[in-house]
Amino acid sequence: MGVEKEKSNDDIQEQATTPTALAPTPKTAAADKDWGLNGRLAFAIAAAALGSSFQHGYNTGVVNAPQQLIEDWIKDLKTNRTGVPTEKTEVTLIWSLAVSIFCVGGMIGGSLVGWVADRFGRKGGLLLNNILVLLTVIFEGSAKAAKSYEMIIVGRFLIGINSGLNAGLAPMYLAEISPVHLRGAVGTVYQLVITISILVSQILGLEQILGTAEQWPLLLCLTIVPAIFQMCTLPFCPESPKYLLLNRGKDMDAQRGLSWLRGTIEVHDEMEEMRAEYESVKLVPKVTLRELFVNPTLRIPLFISIMIMFAQQLSGINAVMFFSTKIFRMAQLDKNAAQNATMGVGAMNVLMTIISLVLVEKAGRKTLLLVGFSGMFVDTVLLAICLVFAETSQAAAYFSIVLVIMFVVLFATGPGSIPWFLVSELFSQSARPSATSIAIAVNWTANFIVSIGFLPLQEVLGAYVFIIFAVLQLFFTIFIYKKVPETKNKTIEEISSMFRQRSYE
């Protein structure tokens, strides 16, 4: 052991810069294939993802169905307070604030990911984050009884912070507990749960279930259920072994955690890889925010991460989902049929995300991103044309429905899920928390821009608003083709060495 440690510094620097790092040894490749999905790993994935990304998706979609009910309640409440009839524009402004402040909270939560991940760990951060869910339920659940719409705004802000933190912590934890050959599929689980939770929020928001004037506070409070699930399950799972070894220097704890996750004590090869990374991390100073922007080997993947996060939110998915019910009404579907068709789109989103979970390890990340964005570009151009004629042409209206469904299919193929875990794949352990903070904050900022800017643009441009999204999709397709590397089945060291060898400037 002593001889091995003496040579480690020089050897690790040699390994870190050698061009042959791109070709993993046959032994490692063989070992990778032996690590399958076992019951314990599946339990850890469910505990981390269900309790975190469910908050993200559910609270994104839950406000859509009861919008009119809550607006009427705000109007009556404001009128009773002041004794003066409340203008519709004032109610719309309050409601817009309640909806959009969720994204503001997300930006703040996203920017705190790095600090929370380093200070409390990935698992610890996820567990502590549930305090914000409890506070949200107290505020939102008591708002109607307390006759205070301000409490809904505070609750939406708190759950936004929670969702922003979850969007960074959960994919980071999932990436670090996964074997290399399952990393993409496990990373996709985060987006899968988001799509499922949006669909659940749409179903529960139906008038026949909880979408009533009496029941909407309960609809908002159901966000506590996934938090309870996580608090009951995640404590039984280990902290990320990579975090334990590389951040805390706890070798034995890391090995125990890895053995638990793999369901075997035969984890020697994977531990040796982590120890090599640990030794190399000790040779370099801790990565700061400034270092991310100054060091080219960190700046380039950071730029790629930021662009991919912008690409996801500026793809037009939120606009298409918002427009879907209106498009279905244009096709002469009645109100209930249009709502059911919108839920059908949500179900298609879930189905395609499940399919992408399989495809991501076969086709690769870059291929699925290219297929998704290039397909959305063609789809969006056709959708803009069809919407122009939808009022007068029944055929154009029906074709619009097909294009909406096709758009969701293409988005779910890659652009929906890959950005969440790609950031974790592009950075080493020391840089990952800071880089994730920036990327998640950018994602929520872009989400906020779309949610604030879409309606005014749509009022001015009508169906032609989709041309803006088509131009952006074309730009992002070209960017992905030129700049984004394929990370399928590559270790962090192999990915880092790609940035050292190739020019991504």
Side-chain angles (χ1 to χ4, degrees):
M1 280 294 288
V3 177
E4 282 179 23
K5 286 202 171 178
E6 275 183 11
K7 65 172 189 173
S8 63
N9 283 9
D10 292 336
D11 283 357
I12 286 151
Q13 282 185 308
E14 181 76 14
Q15 284 175 352
T17 54
T18 177
T20 57
L22 284 169
T25 63
K27 181 182 174 185
T28 305
D32 274 355
K33 296 301 170 192
D34 293 336
W35 296 333
L37 184 65
N38 61 72
R40 287 178 174 180
L41 180 59
F43 180 80
I45 292 165
L50 281 174
S52 55
S53 52
F54 206 99
Q55 307 292 0
H56 188 160
Y58 187 82
N59 288 287
T60 298
V62 75
V63 289
N64 292 335
Q67 177 179 346
Q68 192 58 54
L69 294 169
I70 300 175
E71 282 185 346
D72 291 343
W73 172 72
I74 292 171
K75 186 178 180 181
D76 294 342
L77 185 61
K78 199 96 168 62
T79 302
N80 290 336
R81 277 187 190 177
T82 59
V84 181
T86 307
E87 296 288 326
K88 185 172 185 343
T89 51
E90 195 178 346
V91 175
T92 304
L93 184 67
I94 293 169
W95 178 248
S96 299
L97 177 62
V99 172
S100 58
I101 204 164
F102 177 66
C103 294
V104 176
M107 293 181 222
I108 294 168
S111 63
L112 292 172
V113 168
W115 178 76
V116 172
D118 279 342
R119 176 75 177 77
F120 302 105
R122 284 62 163 146
K123 171 188 161 183
L126 285 169
L127 288 171
L128 284 171
N129 202 18
N130 287 304
I131 294 170
L132 292 172
V133 182
L134 179 61
L135 292 173
T136 296
V137 169
I138 291 169
F139 275 100
E140 292 185 352
S142 309
K144 191 177 181 185
K147 295 182 170 56
S148 169
Y149 63 79
E150 293 88 352
M151 290 177 75
I152 289 182
I153 295 170
V154 173
R156 291 282 296 167
F157 177 66
L158 291 172
I159 201 65
I161 297 173
N162 168 276
S163 298
L165 279 164
N166 280 331
L169 292 170
M172 200 185 301
Y173 180 75
L174 293 174
E176 290 178 8
I177 66 171
S178 309
V180 172
H181 71 289
L182 289 178
R183 202 172 53 211
V186 172
T188 304
V189 171
Y190 186 82
Q191 177 66 15
L192 174 62
V193 177
I194 288 179
T195 60
I196 292 170
S197 54
I198 290 173
L199 183 60
V200 168
S201 72
Q202 289 175 330
I203 294 168
L204 291 175
L206 288 173
E207 205 172 325
Q208 305 92 303
I209 305 178
L210 295 176
T212 64
E214 294 76 33
Q215 301 280 21
W216 64 257
L218 176 59
L219 183 65
L220 300 181
C221 286
L222 284 178
T223 195
I224 194 72
V225 175
I228 292 169
F229 170 80
Q230 188 172 75
M231 293 301 291
C232 292
T233 54
L234 196 57
F236 294 102
C237 306
E239 178 58 88
S240 156
K242 278 201 165 189
Y243 171 78
L244 290 171
L245 180 59
L246 277 70
N247 292 65
R248 291 285 178 257
K250 296 180 177 178
D251 191 290
M252 287 306 297
D253 287 349
Q255 188 161 337
R256 270 196 296 269
L258 192 61
S259 295
W260 189 93
L261 290 163
R262 299 294 175 260
T264 175
I265 57 170
E266 298 297 323
V267 293
H268 177 77
D269 289 344
E270 201 173 354
M271 279 302 299
E272 284 307 309
E273 279 179 24
M274 284 202 294
R275 287 178 186 127
E277 191 179 346
Y278 177 51
E279 293 298 328
S280 63
V281 164
K282 288 200 293 189
L283 298 176
V284 293
K286 184 172 168 56
V287 175
T288 61
L289 278 175
R290 182 179 175 277
E291 184 76 9
L292 280 173
F293 290 97
V294 172
N295 186 335
T297 58
L298 296 174
R299 184 176 65 238
I300 298 161
L302 180 66
F303 177 63
I304 290 169
S305 301
I306 288 171
M307 290 299 288
I308 290 297
M309 287 299 188
F310 268 126
Q312 187 198 55
Q313 290 297 335
L314 300 181
S315 65
I317 184 63
N318 291 333
V320 168
M321 294 299 270
F322 172 83
F323 237 90
S324 60
T325 304
K326 186 175 180 182
I327 292 167
F328 297 142
R329 293 300 300 275
M330 282 178 184
Q332 309 304 313
L333 297 178
D334 62 36
K335 184 184 174 185
N336 283 339
Q339 280 185 339
N340 290 337
T342 300
M343 276 191 279
V345 168
M348 181 62 75
N349 197 5
V350 173
L351 176 65
M352 282 309 299
T353 306
I354 293 170
I355 292 170
S356 79
L357 191 141
V358 177
L359 289 178
V360 74
E361 294 300 357
K362 294 185 181 297
R365 285 67 155 152
K366 184 170 184 171
T367 305
L368 291 184
L369 285 172
L370 285 172
V371 168
F373 278 104
S374 59
M376 283 193 293
F377 165 68
V378 175
D379 188 283
T380 306
V381 171
L382 292 173
L383 182 60
I385 295 167
C386 285
L387 286 176
V388 172
F389 299 104
E391 299 280 7
T392 54
S393 167
Q394 191 72 21
Y398 280 122
F399 197 44
S400 296
I401 294 178
V402 175
L403 289 168
V404 166
I405 294 168
M406 200 63 220
F407 188 97
V408 172
V409 166
L410 289 161
F411 178 79
T413 302
S417 56
I418 292 171
W420 296 117
F421 66 84
L422 188 66
V423 182
S424 291
E425 291 191 328
L426 292 177
F427 292 93
S428 65
Q429 189 77 5
S430 55
R432 192 175 295 136
S434 300
T436 302
S437 277
I438 294 169
I440 298 300
V442 164
N443 186 286
W444 282 93
T445 304
N447 190 343
F448 180 71
I449 291 167
V450 172
S451 62
I452 287 291
F454 174 69
L455 276 178
L457 277 173
Q458 186 258 321
E459 283 174 18
V460 174
L461 299 172
Y464 293 108
V465 71
F466 286 101
I467 297 298
I468 296 172
F469 291 115
V471 171
L472 287 168
Q473 289 156 7
L474 180 61
F475 168 74
F476 289 127
T477 302
I478 295 166
F479 175 83
I480 291 162
Y481 180 74
K482 297 248 183 214
K483 298 291 185 184
V484 176
E486 181 53 74
T487 56
K488 183 182 77 166
N489 286 342
K490 290 185 171 66
T491 64
I492 297 300
E493 180 48 47
E494 290 164 13
I495 293 163
S496 298
S497 102
M498 285 197 303
F499 290 120
R500 286 194 291 268
Q501 290 169 44
R502 288 177 57 185
S503 173
Y504 280 84
E505 298 290 354

